[in-house]
Amino acid sequence: MTAIETKSLSKTYKATRAVEDLNLTIERGELFALLGVNGAGKTTTIKMLSCLIKSTSGDATIMGNSIVTSPLKVKEIINVSPQETAVAPNLSVRENLELMCGIYGHNSKRARQMTDEVIRTFSLSEIEKTRARILSGGWQRRLSIAMALITEPEVLFLDEPTLGLDVLARRGLWRIIQEMKGRITIVLTTHYLEEAEALADRIAIMSRGKLVAVGTADELEALTNTGSFEDAFVALCEGEKNYENE
Amino acid sequence: MKMSSFAIRNSKELLRDKLNLAFGIGFPVIILLMLSLIQSNVPVELFAIENLTPGIAVFGLSFISLFSGMIIAKDRTSSFMLRLFTSPMKAIDYILGYTLPLLPMAVLQILACFLVAIPLGLNVSINILLTVAVLMPAAVVNIALGLLCGSLLTEKQVGGLCGALLTNGSAWLSGAWFPVELVGGAFKAVAGALPFLHAVNAGRYALNGEYSRIMPELIWVFGYAAALMVLAIIAFTKKMNSDNP
Protein backbone atom coordinates (compact mmCIF):
# COMPACT_ATOMS: atom_id res chain seq x y z
CA MET A 1 0.00 0.00 0.00
CA THR A 2 1.25 3.49 -0.89
CA ALA A 3 2.04 5.79 2.04
CA ILE A 4 3.36 8.82 0.16
CA GLU A 5 2.91 9.79 -3.45
CA THR A 6 4.19 13.04 -4.91
CA LYS A 7 2.83 14.30 -8.19
CA SER A 8 5.02 16.88 -9.99
CA LEU A 9 5.72 18.52 -6.63
CA SER A 10 7.64 21.76 -7.07
CA LYS A 11 8.79 24.66 -4.93
CA THR A 12 10.20 27.94 -6.19
CA TYR A 13 11.68 30.65 -4.00
CA LYS A 14 11.69 33.83 -6.10
CA ALA A 15 14.06 32.89 -8.95
CA THR A 16 15.33 29.64 -7.39
CA ARG A 17 13.71 26.30 -8.12
CA ALA A 18 14.35 24.46 -4.86
CA VAL A 19 12.39 21.35 -5.88
CA GLU A 20 11.41 20.63 -9.44
CA ASP A 21 8.74 18.25 -10.66
CA LEU A 22 9.24 15.62 -7.97
CA ASN A 23 7.49 12.31 -8.60
CA LEU A 24 7.97 9.69 -5.90
CA THR A 25 6.10 6.75 -4.42
CA ILE A 26 6.93 5.46 -0.96
CA GLU A 27 5.34 2.29 0.35
CA ARG A 28 3.82 1.82 3.79
CA GLY A 29 6.39 0.73 6.40
CA GLU A 30 9.30 1.61 4.13
CA LEU A 31 12.36 3.48 5.37
CA PHE A 32 13.10 5.83 2.53
CA ALA A 33 16.23 8.00 2.45
CA LEU A 34 16.57 11.29 0.59
CA LEU A 35 20.21 11.86 -0.19
CA GLY A 36 21.94 14.80 -1.80
CA VAL A 37 24.51 17.52 -1.34
CA ASN A 38 23.64 20.91 0.22
CA GLY A 39 20.89 22.69 -1.68
CA ALA A 40 19.68 19.48 -3.33
CA GLY A 41 16.10 20.11 -2.11
CA LYS A 42 15.84 17.42 0.60
CA THR A 43 14.72 19.68 3.44
CA THR A 44 12.38 21.65 1.18
CA THR A 45 10.77 18.36 0.14
CA ILE A 46 10.25 17.38 3.78
CA LYS A 47 8.90 20.83 4.62
CA MET A 48 6.32 20.53 1.81
CA LEU A 49 5.33 16.98 2.73
CA SER A 50 4.90 17.96 6.38
CA CYS A 51 2.75 20.98 5.37
CA LEU A 52 5.23 23.45 6.85
CA ILE A 53 5.48 25.31 3.54
CA LYS A 54 3.16 25.33 0.55
CA SER A 55 4.21 23.85 -2.75
CA THR A 56 4.35 26.20 -5.74
CA SER A 57 2.77 23.54 -7.97
CA GLY A 58 1.96 19.86 -7.89
CA ASP A 59 0.59 17.87 -4.97
CA ALA A 60 1.38 14.94 -2.70
CA THR A 61 -0.75 12.53 -0.74
CA ILE A 62 0.12 11.14 2.67
CA MET A 63 -1.96 8.04 3.42
CA GLY A 64 -4.40 9.31 0.78
CA ASN A 65 -4.67 12.85 2.20
CA SER A 66 -3.60 15.73 -0.01
CA ILE A 67 -1.05 18.15 1.44
CA VAL A 68 -2.73 20.89 -0.60
CA THR A 69 -6.39 20.35 0.23
CA SER A 70 -6.25 18.50 3.58
CA PRO A 71 -3.16 19.74 5.46
CA LEU A 72 -4.80 19.38 8.89
CA LYS A 73 -5.60 15.70 8.23
CA VAL A 74 -2.00 15.19 7.12
CA LYS A 75 -0.67 16.88 10.26
CA GLU A 76 -2.70 14.52 12.44
CA ILE A 77 -1.00 11.41 11.04
CA ILE A 78 2.58 12.61 10.63
CA ASN A 79 5.34 13.88 12.84
CA VAL A 80 8.66 15.52 12.13
CA SER A 81 12.04 15.62 13.79
CA PRO A 82 13.49 18.86 12.39
CA GLN A 83 17.13 19.25 11.37
CA GLU A 84 18.00 21.22 14.49
CA THR A 85 17.03 19.93 17.90
CA ALA A 86 13.47 21.08 18.58
CA VAL A 87 12.67 20.91 22.28
CA ALA A 88 11.10 23.27 24.81
CA PRO A 89 14.22 24.28 26.77
CA ASN A 90 12.65 25.06 30.15
CA LEU A 91 10.57 21.88 30.27
CA SER A 92 11.86 18.58 31.59
CA VAL A 93 12.24 15.56 29.32
CA ARG A 94 8.96 14.12 30.63
CA GLU A 95 7.16 17.45 30.25
CA ASN A 96 8.36 17.80 26.66
CA LEU A 97 7.02 14.36 25.81
CA GLU A 98 3.68 14.96 27.57
CA LEU A 99 3.39 18.30 25.77
CA MET A 100 3.61 16.54 22.41
CA CYS A 101 0.84 14.13 23.41
CA GLY A 102 -1.30 17.08 24.51
CA ILE A 103 -0.92 19.10 21.32
CA TYR A 104 -1.84 16.02 19.30
CA GLY A 105 -5.07 15.76 21.31
CA HIS A 106 -4.36 12.98 23.83
CA ASN A 107 -5.75 13.37 27.37
CA SER A 108 -3.40 13.56 30.34
CA LYS A 109 -3.88 9.93 31.42
CA ARG A 110 -3.07 8.63 27.94
CA ALA A 111 -0.21 11.14 27.68
CA ARG A 112 1.36 9.71 30.85
CA GLN A 113 1.05 6.14 29.53
CA MET A 114 2.57 7.06 26.17
CA THR A 115 5.36 8.99 27.87
CA ASP A 116 6.21 6.06 30.17
CA GLU A 117 6.48 3.83 27.13
CA VAL A 118 8.68 6.18 25.12
CA ILE A 119 10.93 6.87 28.11
CA ARG A 120 11.50 3.11 28.30
CA THR A 121 12.08 2.70 24.55
CA PHE A 122 14.54 5.58 24.33
CA SER A 123 16.21 4.82 27.70
CA LEU A 124 15.42 8.30 29.00
CA SER A 125 14.48 7.33 32.55
CA GLU A 126 17.64 8.68 34.20
CA ILE A 127 17.11 12.15 32.69
CA GLU A 128 13.31 12.31 32.64
CA LYS A 129 13.19 15.09 35.24
CA THR A 130 16.09 17.06 33.74
CA ARG A 131 15.31 20.26 31.88
CA ALA A 132 15.97 19.96 28.15
CA ARG A 133 18.27 22.98 27.95
CA ILE A 134 20.93 21.38 30.14
CA LEU A 135 21.04 18.07 28.25
CA SER A 136 24.00 17.25 26.01
CA GLY A 137 23.55 17.51 22.24
CA GLY A 138 23.18 13.74 21.94
CA TRP A 139 20.46 13.51 24.60
CA GLN A 140 18.65 16.53 23.16
CA ARG A 141 18.62 14.89 19.73
CA ARG A 142 17.38 11.64 21.22
CA LEU A 143 14.60 13.57 23.01
CA SER A 144 13.77 15.44 19.81
CA ILE A 145 13.26 12.15 17.95
CA ALA A 146 11.32 10.68 20.87
CA MET A 147 9.02 13.72 20.69
CA ALA A 148 8.39 12.96 17.03
CA LEU A 149 7.65 9.31 17.72
CA ILE A 150 5.50 9.61 20.84
CA THR A 151 2.39 10.62 18.90
CA GLU A 152 2.48 7.28 17.08
CA PRO A 153 2.61 8.83 13.60
CA GLU A 154 1.84 6.79 10.51
CA VAL A 155 4.57 8.70 8.67
CA LEU A 156 7.69 10.04 10.35
CA PHE A 157 10.04 12.58 8.77
CA LEU A 158 13.58 12.61 10.14
CA ASP A 159 15.58 15.54 8.81
CA GLU A 160 19.31 14.89 9.33
CA PRO A 161 18.65 13.05 12.61
CA THR A 162 22.30 12.32 13.43
CA LEU A 163 23.87 15.58 12.28
CA GLY A 164 26.62 16.65 14.69
CA LEU A 165 26.43 13.57 16.88
CA ASP A 166 29.43 11.50 17.91
CA VAL A 167 29.81 7.93 16.64
CA LEU A 168 28.33 6.30 19.74
CA ALA A 169 25.30 8.60 19.85
CA ARG A 170 24.81 8.08 16.12
CA ARG A 171 24.92 4.30 16.43
CA GLY A 172 22.47 4.52 19.35
CA LEU A 173 20.02 6.44 17.19
CA TRP A 174 20.51 4.03 14.30
CA ARG A 175 19.41 1.20 16.60
CA ILE A 176 16.26 3.10 17.55
CA ILE A 177 15.46 3.92 13.92
CA GLN A 178 16.03 0.29 12.90
CA GLU A 179 13.59 -0.85 15.58
CA MET A 180 10.91 1.38 14.01
CA LYS A 181 11.41 -0.06 10.54
CA GLY A 182 8.37 -1.81 9.14
CA ARG A 183 5.99 -0.35 11.74
CA ILE A 184 6.13 3.27 10.58
CA THR A 185 6.82 4.79 7.19
CA ILE A 186 10.00 6.80 7.64
CA VAL A 187 11.44 9.44 5.34
CA LEU A 188 14.99 10.25 6.31
CA THR A 189 17.26 12.94 4.92
CA THR A 190 20.95 12.63 5.55
CA HIS A 191 24.36 13.76 4.40
CA TYR A 192 25.93 10.55 5.60
CA LEU A 193 26.09 7.96 2.83
CA GLU A 194 26.78 5.10 5.23
CA GLU A 195 23.70 6.09 7.21
CA ALA A 196 21.45 5.84 4.18
CA GLU A 197 23.13 2.58 3.15
CA ALA A 198 22.77 1.05 6.61
CA LEU A 199 19.20 2.12 7.35
CA ALA A 200 17.22 2.68 4.18
CA ASP A 201 15.16 0.20 2.18
CA ARG A 202 15.41 2.53 -0.80
CA ILE A 203 17.39 5.69 -1.49
CA ALA A 204 16.47 8.67 -3.64
CA ILE A 205 19.30 10.85 -4.86
CA MET A 206 18.41 14.51 -5.34
CA SER A 207 20.57 17.09 -7.06
CA ARG A 208 19.77 20.76 -7.69
CA GLY A 209 16.13 20.24 -6.78
CA LYS A 210 15.62 17.28 -9.10
CA LEU A 211 15.24 13.58 -8.44
CA VAL A 212 18.16 11.87 -10.16
CA ALA A 213 17.67 8.22 -9.24
CA VAL A 214 15.81 5.90 -6.86
CA GLY A 215 16.72 2.40 -5.76
CA THR A 216 18.50 0.27 -3.20
CA ALA A 217 22.19 1.00 -2.61
CA ASP A 218 23.10 -2.05 -4.74
CA GLU A 219 20.75 -0.99 -7.53
CA LEU A 220 22.29 2.50 -7.60
CA GLU A 221 25.80 1.02 -7.79
CA ALA A 222 24.72 -1.21 -10.64
CA LEU A 223 23.01 1.68 -12.39
CA THR A 224 26.20 3.75 -12.38
CA ASN A 225 28.61 0.86 -12.94
CA THR A 226 30.58 1.79 -9.84
CA GLY A 227 32.20 -0.31 -7.14
CA SER A 228 30.93 1.51 -4.08
CA PHE A 229 27.89 3.44 -2.98
CA GLU A 230 29.98 6.59 -2.51
CA ASP A 231 31.18 6.38 -6.13
CA ALA A 232 27.62 5.81 -7.26
CA PHE A 233 26.46 8.88 -5.31
CA VAL A 234 29.20 11.07 -6.81
CA ALA A 235 28.45 9.82 -10.30
CA LEU A 236 24.75 10.52 -9.85
CA CYS A 237 25.26 14.00 -8.35
CA GLU A 238 27.91 15.11 -10.83
CA GLY A 239 26.54 13.45 -13.91
CA GLU A 240 24.30 15.29 -16.28
CA LYS A 241 22.38 12.15 -17.08
CA ASN A 242 19.07 11.52 -15.34
CA TYR A 243 18.72 7.91 -14.22
CA GLU A 244 15.26 8.34 -12.77
CA ASN A 245 13.40 6.35 -15.38
CA GLU A 246 16.01 3.71 -16.10
CA MET B 1 -6.77 19.80 24.90
CA LYS B 2 -4.29 21.07 22.30
CA MET B 3 -4.61 24.69 23.38
CA SER B 4 -4.55 23.92 27.11
CA SER B 5 -1.44 21.74 26.77
CA PHE B 6 0.27 24.54 24.89
CA ALA B 7 -0.89 27.16 27.41
CA ILE B 8 0.46 25.05 30.30
CA ARG B 9 3.79 24.79 28.52
CA ASN B 10 3.92 28.56 28.07
CA SER B 11 3.05 29.14 31.74
CA LYS B 12 5.92 26.89 32.77
CA GLU B 13 8.35 28.63 30.40
CA LEU B 14 7.33 32.02 31.83
CA LEU B 15 7.33 31.03 35.49
CA ARG B 16 10.68 29.27 35.20
CA ASP B 17 12.38 32.37 33.81
CA LYS B 18 13.07 33.74 37.28
CA LEU B 19 15.00 36.83 36.15
CA ASN B 20 12.17 38.09 33.92
CA LEU B 21 9.63 37.31 36.59
CA ALA B 22 11.52 39.08 39.36
CA PHE B 23 12.19 42.07 37.13
CA GLY B 24 8.60 42.28 35.83
CA ILE B 25 7.01 42.21 39.28
CA GLY B 26 9.89 43.65 41.31
CA PHE B 27 10.79 46.71 39.25
CA PRO B 28 7.37 48.45 39.36
CA VAL B 29 7.20 47.75 43.09
CA ILE B 30 10.65 49.33 43.60
CA ILE B 31 9.56 52.43 41.63
CA LEU B 32 6.44 52.64 43.81
CA LEU B 33 8.53 52.44 46.98
CA MET B 34 11.05 55.02 45.73
CA LEU B 35 8.45 57.57 44.68
CA SER B 36 6.63 57.09 47.98
CA LEU B 37 9.89 57.70 49.80
CA ILE B 38 10.41 60.92 47.81
CA GLN B 39 6.85 61.96 48.67
CA SER B 40 7.50 61.45 52.38
CA ASN B 41 10.44 63.88 52.18
CA VAL B 42 8.82 66.77 50.28
CA PRO B 43 6.21 69.16 51.67
CA VAL B 44 4.00 69.29 48.52
CA GLU B 45 1.84 66.40 47.31
CA LEU B 46 3.71 65.09 44.27
CA PHE B 47 2.98 61.39 44.38
CA ALA B 48 -0.30 60.73 46.17
CA ILE B 49 -0.52 56.97 46.64
CA GLU B 50 -4.09 56.86 45.22
CA ASN B 51 -2.84 58.40 41.99
CA LEU B 52 0.50 56.67 41.88
CA THR B 53 -0.62 53.05 42.38
CA PRO B 54 -2.83 52.68 39.26
CA GLY B 55 -0.14 54.51 37.24
CA ILE B 56 2.64 52.21 38.36
CA ALA B 57 0.37 49.19 37.80
CA VAL B 58 -0.16 50.27 34.16
CA PHE B 59 3.59 50.88 33.78
CA GLY B 60 4.27 47.41 35.20
CA LEU B 61 1.98 45.87 32.60
CA SER B 62 4.37 46.98 29.85
CA PHE B 63 6.67 44.17 31.06
CA ILE B 64 3.91 41.74 30.03
CA SER B 65 4.57 42.82 26.42
CA LEU B 66 8.18 41.90 26.91
CA PHE B 67 7.24 38.47 28.30
CA SER B 68 4.79 37.66 25.51
CA GLY B 69 7.01 39.05 22.75
CA MET B 70 10.08 37.20 24.00
CA ILE B 71 8.44 33.79 24.32
CA ILE B 72 7.06 33.92 20.76
CA ALA B 73 10.26 35.34 19.28
CA LYS B 74 12.32 32.65 21.09
CA ASP B 75 10.01 29.91 19.77
CA ARG B 76 10.08 31.38 16.27
CA THR B 77 13.84 31.57 16.08
CA SER B 78 14.26 27.96 17.26
CA SER B 79 13.27 24.73 15.56
CA PHE B 80 10.66 24.22 18.24
CA MET B 81 8.23 26.41 16.26
CA LEU B 82 8.81 24.27 13.15
CA ARG B 83 7.82 21.27 15.25
CA LEU B 84 4.69 23.06 16.47
CA PHE B 85 3.74 24.20 12.97
CA THR B 86 3.76 20.61 11.72
CA SER B 87 1.37 19.62 14.52
CA PRO B 88 -2.43 19.77 14.13
CA MET B 89 -2.72 22.96 16.22
CA LYS B 90 -4.69 25.79 14.63
CA ALA B 91 -3.92 29.53 14.71
CA ILE B 92 -6.49 30.05 17.48
CA ASP B 93 -4.74 27.42 19.66
CA TYR B 94 -1.49 29.37 19.38
CA ILE B 95 -3.04 32.78 20.08
CA LEU B 96 -4.99 31.57 23.13
CA GLY B 97 -2.10 29.38 24.25
CA TYR B 98 0.22 32.38 24.32
CA THR B 99 -2.37 34.85 25.71
CA LEU B 100 -4.11 32.97 28.53
CA PRO B 101 -1.04 32.28 30.73
CA LEU B 102 -0.24 36.01 30.70
CA LEU B 103 -3.59 37.11 32.13
CA PRO B 104 -3.02 35.63 35.64
CA MET B 105 0.49 37.07 35.51
CA ALA B 106 -0.97 40.50 34.83
CA VAL B 107 -3.38 40.09 37.77
CA LEU B 108 -0.45 39.06 39.96
CA GLN B 109 1.54 42.08 38.85
CA ILE B 110 -1.30 44.54 39.54
CA LEU B 111 -2.03 42.92 42.91
CA ALA B 112 1.66 43.16 43.88
CA CYS B 113 1.50 46.93 43.31
CA PHE B 114 -1.63 47.27 45.45
CA LEU B 115 -0.34 45.02 48.22
CA VAL B 116 2.77 47.19 48.50
CA ALA B 117 0.67 50.38 48.32
CA ILE B 118 -1.53 49.43 51.30
CA PRO B 119 1.20 49.75 53.97
CA LEU B 120 2.26 52.96 52.19
CA GLY B 121 -1.11 54.51 52.99
CA LEU B 122 -3.59 53.30 50.37
CA ASN B 123 -7.07 52.84 51.82
CA VAL B 124 -8.33 49.28 51.66
CA SER B 125 -11.68 49.16 49.89
CA ILE B 126 -13.62 47.09 47.41
CA ASN B 127 -12.53 49.64 44.79
CA ILE B 128 -9.11 47.96 44.71
CA LEU B 129 -10.70 44.86 43.21
CA LEU B 130 -12.66 47.00 40.75
CA THR B 131 -9.41 48.73 39.75
CA VAL B 132 -7.75 45.37 39.10
CA ALA B 133 -10.66 44.49 36.77
CA VAL B 134 -10.56 47.93 35.10
CA LEU B 135 -6.84 47.54 34.38
CA MET B 136 -7.26 44.16 32.66
CA PRO B 137 -8.01 45.64 29.20
CA ALA B 138 -4.65 47.43 29.53
CA ALA B 139 -3.11 44.01 30.18
CA VAL B 140 -4.69 42.76 26.94
CA VAL B 141 -3.24 45.79 25.08
CA ASN B 142 0.23 44.84 26.30
CA ILE B 143 -0.20 41.12 25.60
CA ALA B 144 -1.37 41.90 22.05
CA LEU B 145 1.56 44.27 21.52
CA GLY B 146 3.91 41.49 22.63
CA LEU B 147 2.20 38.97 20.32
CA LEU B 148 2.49 41.40 17.43
CA CYS B 149 6.16 42.18 18.06
CA GLY B 150 7.03 38.53 18.75
CA SER B 151 5.38 37.48 15.47
CA LEU B 152 7.33 39.97 13.39
CA LEU B 153 10.65 40.58 15.15
CA THR B 154 13.63 38.67 16.45
CA GLU B 155 14.29 38.09 20.14
CA LYS B 156 16.84 40.94 20.21
CA GLN B 157 14.50 43.34 18.44
CA VAL B 158 11.66 42.46 20.81
CA GLY B 159 14.01 43.17 23.73
CA GLY B 160 14.75 46.61 22.29
CA LEU B 161 11.23 47.53 21.28
CA CYS B 162 9.19 46.08 24.14
CA GLY B 163 11.91 46.21 26.79
CA ALA B 164 13.10 49.75 26.18
CA LEU B 165 10.81 51.74 23.90
CA LEU B 166 7.46 50.47 25.15
CA THR B 167 8.31 50.54 28.86
CA ASN B 168 9.59 54.10 28.50
CA GLY B 169 6.62 55.14 26.38
CA SER B 170 4.24 53.66 28.89
CA ALA B 171 6.12 55.33 31.76
CA TRP B 172 6.22 58.85 30.32
CA LEU B 173 3.04 58.99 28.26
CA SER B 174 0.68 57.44 30.81
CA GLY B 175 0.71 60.27 33.33
CA ALA B 176 1.74 57.66 35.88
CA TRP B 177 3.89 60.02 37.98
CA PHE B 178 3.19 63.49 36.60
CA PRO B 179 0.16 65.00 34.87
CA VAL B 180 0.67 65.20 31.09
CA GLU B 181 -0.86 68.71 31.28
CA LEU B 182 2.39 69.87 32.91
CA VAL B 183 4.20 69.33 29.60
CA GLY B 184 1.20 70.08 27.40
CA GLY B 185 1.36 70.64 23.62
CA ALA B 186 2.28 67.75 21.36
CA PHE B 187 3.27 65.59 24.34
CA LYS B 188 -0.21 65.83 25.78
CA ALA B 189 -1.79 65.20 22.36
CA VAL B 190 0.33 62.07 21.81
CA ALA B 191 -0.39 60.80 25.32
CA GLY B 192 -4.11 61.37 24.74
CA ALA B 193 -4.02 59.41 21.48
CA LEU B 194 -2.38 56.37 23.10
CA PRO B 195 -4.12 53.95 25.48
CA PHE B 196 -1.78 54.21 28.50
CA LEU B 197 -3.03 57.56 29.87
CA HIS B 198 -6.66 56.43 29.48
CA ALA B 199 -5.89 53.16 31.29
CA VAL B 200 -4.29 55.07 34.18
CA ASN B 201 -7.21 57.52 34.34
CA ALA B 202 -9.74 54.66 34.33
CA GLY B 203 -7.80 52.97 37.14
CA ARG B 204 -7.69 56.17 39.18
CA TYR B 205 -11.42 56.77 38.76
CA ALA B 206 -12.16 53.18 39.78
CA LEU B 207 -9.96 53.48 42.86
CA ASN B 208 -11.53 56.81 43.86
CA GLY B 209 -15.08 55.53 43.34
CA GLU B 210 -15.83 57.88 40.42
CA TYR B 211 -17.61 55.10 38.56
CA SER B 212 -19.36 57.20 35.90
CA ARG B 213 -16.00 58.49 34.62
CA ILE B 214 -14.48 55.02 34.07
CA MET B 215 -16.12 53.96 30.81
CA PRO B 216 -15.29 57.02 28.66
CA GLU B 217 -11.61 56.36 29.43
CA LEU B 218 -11.85 52.59 29.20
CA ILE B 219 -13.42 52.69 25.74
CA TRP B 220 -10.04 53.87 24.36
CA VAL B 221 -8.30 50.94 25.99
CA PHE B 222 -10.90 48.47 24.70
CA GLY B 223 -10.46 49.90 21.19
CA TYR B 224 -6.69 49.55 21.28
CA ALA B 225 -6.93 46.06 22.81
CA ALA B 226 -9.27 44.84 20.04
CA ALA B 227 -7.32 46.49 17.21
CA LEU B 228 -3.94 45.25 18.43
CA MET B 229 -5.24 41.72 19.02
CA VAL B 230 -6.63 41.58 15.46
CA LEU B 231 -3.31 42.86 14.09
CA ALA B 232 -1.40 40.29 16.18
CA ILE B 233 -3.61 37.44 14.93
CA ILE B 234 -3.14 38.57 11.30
CA ALA B 235 0.65 38.87 11.75
CA PHE B 236 0.96 35.49 13.47
CA THR B 237 -1.25 33.69 10.94
CA LYS B 238 0.63 35.28 8.04
CA LYS B 239 3.95 34.22 9.54
CA MET B 240 2.60 30.72 10.18
CA ASN B 241 1.64 30.34 6.52
CA SER B 242 4.79 31.90 5.11
CA ASP B 243 7.81 30.12 3.64
CA ASN B 244 9.90 31.41 6.53
CA PRO B 245 7.91 30.94 9.73
Side-chain angles (χ1 to χ4, degrees):
Chain A
M1 187 187 167
T2 302
I4 300 171
E5 189 178 10
T6 69
K7 299 158 195 163
S8 301
L9 194 65
S10 303
K11 180 69 186 177
T12 305
Y13 295 107
K14 290 181 183 164
T16 313
R17 299 214 77 176
V19 175
E20 201 172 336
D21 219 17
L22 183 68
N23 290 293
L24 265 180
T25 304
I26 301 171
E27 297 303 318
R28 199 170 192 159
E30 192 174 10
L31 200 159
F32 191 88
L34 282 176
L35 212 57
V37 293
N38 287 337
K42 311 183 295 289
T43 296
T44 303
T45 301
I46 283 202
K47 282 182 174 175
M48 283 192 284
L49 293 176
S50 57
C51 306
L52 192 59
I53 57 171
K54 289 184 171 70
S55 59
T56 310
S57 61
D59 196 358
T61 55
I62 313 277
M63 297 295 181
N65 302 295
S66 160
I67 60 166
V68 177
T69 58
S70 313
L72 207 60
K73 277 187 184 168
V74 170
K75 286 177 176 186
E76 279 167 2
I77 56 168
I78 64 160
N79 211 321
V80 183
S81 176
Q83 199 172 100
E84 287 142 24
T85 304
V87 298
N90 280 328
L91 299 193
S92 70
V93 168
R94 175 171 279 277
E95 287 169 337
N96 264 289
L97 292 166
E98 288 181 352
L99 167 69
M100 290 310 291
C101 297
I103 64 177
Y104 277 78
H106 298 286
N107 64 36
S108 51
K109 190 183 170 193
R110 178 78 186 120
R112 271 195 301 277
Q113 287 170 347
M114 292 164 93
T115 301
D116 287 341
E117 202 178 312
V118 166
I119 281 177
R120 259 196 313 275
T121 311
F122 281 76
S123 307
L124 297 168
S125 55
E126 65 184 87
I127 52 151
E128 67 170 288
K129 288 178 185 159
T130 308
R131 293 207 188 155
R133 71 184 154 87
I134 59 168
L135 296 173
S136 69
W139 280 113
Q140 281 194 358
R141 191 58 65 90
R142 192 182 279 223
L143 171 62
S144 191
I145 293 175
M147 286 168 74
L149 198 67
I150 194 166
T151 58
E152 297 172 345
E154 291 181 50
V155 177
L156 177 64
F157 295 98
L158 299 174
D159 195 4
E160 307 271 5
T162 61
L163 190 70
L165 294 187
D166 61 46
V167 176
L168 292 180
R170 181 178 300 170
R171 286 297 169 100
L173 273 182
W174 281 15
R175 270 195 299 277
I176 290 169
I177 293 167
Q178 271 164 334
E179 281 166 19
M180 294 188 271
K181 270 181 82 168
R183 290 189 288 126
I184 300 171
T185 307
I186 301 172
V187 180
L188 167 96
T189 75
T190 181
H191 269 104
Y192 303 115
L193 304 184
E194 73 277 15
E195 186 163 284
E197 207 174 355
L199 297 175
D201 297 312
R202 280 192 306 151
I203 300 163
I205 310 284
M206 290 184 77
S207 179
R208 293 176 208 154
K210 290 181 182 171
L211 182 67
V212 181
V214 184
T216 62
D218 290 340
E219 284 169 354
L220 295 175
E221 279 176 41
L223 186 68
T224 50
N225 265 332
T226 50
S228 71
F229 181 57
E230 187 172 325
D231 289 340
F233 176 75
V234 171
L236 288 164
C237 286
E238 287 185 342
E240 292 297 312
K241 191 176 167 189
N242 191 319
Y243 296 84
E244 192 189 344
N245 299 316
E246 291 190 9
Chain B
M1 190 67 215
K2 292 168 189 167
M3 186 278 289
S4 62
S5 295
F6 186 55
I8 289 168
R9 173 263 168 177
N10 292 331
S11 304
K12 286 177 181 169
E13 290 276 356
L14 288 166
L15 292 171
R16 287 173 186 179
D17 196 338
K18 297 281 187 274
L19 190 68
N20 265 351
L21 205 62
F23 197 69
I25 292 178
F27 190 61
V29 165
I30 288 169
I31 300 253
L32 188 65
L33 288 168
M34 277 176 61
L35 294 178
S36 298
L37 192 67
I38 292 170
Q39 177 62 72
S40 66
N41 288 305
V42 292
V44 290
E45 195 175 67
L46 278 176
F47 305 117
I49 197 76
E50 293 79 12
N51 285 336
L52 194 59
T53 313
I56 297 296
V58 168
F59 164 67
L61 288 174
S62 60
F63 288 95
I64 294 280
S65 291
L66 186 63
F67 294 155
S68 68
M70 284 299 242
I71 192 167
I72 299 175
K74 266 186 201 169
D75 281 349
R76 265 190 45 237
T77 48
S78 75
S79 286
F80 188 66
M81 193 60 108
L82 298 186
R83 158 155 276 153
L84 295 177
F85 281 169
T86 57
S87 78
M89 281 208 297
K90 295 174 188 161
I92 188 75
D93 296 320
Y94 290 100
I95 298 294
L96 290 176
Y98 280 123
T99 304
L100 294 181
L102 290 160
L103 291 173
M105 276 193 71
V107 173
L108 201 71
Q109 207 174 36
I110 298 168
L111 282 176
C113 282
F114 279 93
L115 286 174
V116 172
I118 290 168
L120 294 172
L122 184 72
N123 285 331
V124 179
S125 76
I126 194 75
N127 284 343
I128 289 180
L129 291 179
L130 176 68
T131 311
V132 173
V134 161
L135 293 181
M136 286 316 286
V140 176
V141 166
N142 283 288
I143 292 169
L145 263 171
L147 285 173
L148 184 63
C149 293
S151 301
L152 300 172
L153 307 173
T154 64
E155 204 180 325
K156 203 175 166 185
Q157 289 166 329
V158 169
L161 195 71
C162 296
L165 199 66
L166 185 65
T167 47
N168 270 293
S170 151
W172 300 111
L173 295 164
S174 65
W177 41 60
F178 62 89
V180 291
E181 288 79 12
L182 283 180
V183 184
F187 183 85
K188 188 184 163 194
V190 171
L194 294 171
F196 311 113
L197 175 65
H198 298 288
V200 171
N201 287 342
R204 283 175 180 159
Y205 294 142
L207 194 60
N208 294 331
E210 297 173 67
Y211 307 126
S212 62
R213 300 179 74 182
I214 298 171
M215 207 34 98
E217 297 286 349
L218 211 52
I219 208 91
W220 279 83
V221 190
F222 277 128
Y224 266 98
L228 285 168
M229 197 49 98
V230 168
L231 279 177
I233 292 169
I234 292 170
F236 187 85
T237 311
K238 208 166 174 184
K239 205 74 186 166
M240 192 178 164
N241 293 322
S242 77
D243 283 342
N244 185 23

